[in-house]
Amino acid sequence: MTSSQSGDLHGFAPDQSPTVLLLIDVINDMEFPGGEDLLVHALPAAREIAALKQRASSAGIPVIYVNDNFGRWRSDFTLQVRHCLEDNVRGGPVAELLRPGERDYFVLKPKHSGFFASSLEILLRYLGARTLILTGFAGDICVLYTANDAYMRDFELIVPEDCIASESVEANQHALGQMRRFLKTKICPGAEISFDGLDASTP
């Protein structure tokens, strides 16, 4: 079905689901100061994210890559993926684990929050999302900022604690504490998130 067939000329998302999985800044070359420290924690987190993503996709839960454009205003998400996979960059192993699939959605963001000056909010509206599962990097910056903006938009939040990473364990734990205390976020291991019985469907 096309957007014109759906009666909406501004876009159409073929999936409907009250729960959506967000992968924040996982396609990232990590070629910046502190990137080496981030990679130490991001790589094990990426393995957990990959497992969670596989379970979500199998359950029909939409997956959205919410990714920084890293100042490459003439680039797009496909080029960013290719850069991370082919240019021998520090973040290559993470991108290899989390390369997007054909059915995944993506949103480019220019700043820390996935909601700021991006199409994320309208995409979530089309999907019918009410609960967001947030994963990605860095936990104390882009994940936290996205969680904050999601909370102010009345989304329910789940953050699997082993699926986010920051440059240090201390920074990551502090971010998790902030999300739990102020944003009413459910914090749990990724393996404890169950997709059974969720009303996810693809017309």
Side-chain angles (χ1 to χ4, degrees), residues 10 15 34 42 44-45 69 71-74 87 156 158 195-196:
H10 299 288
D15 300 297
N69 68 5
R72 296 182 175 89
W73 292 98
R74 290 178 174 172
D87 291 346
E156 298 291 327
I158 301 172
F195 298 110
D196 293 339

Side-chain angles (χ1 to χ4, degrees), residues 44-55:
R47 297 188 185 102
E48 298 298 330
I49 296 171
L52 182 64
K53 181 193 172 189
Q54 183 175 21
R55 292 198 297 114

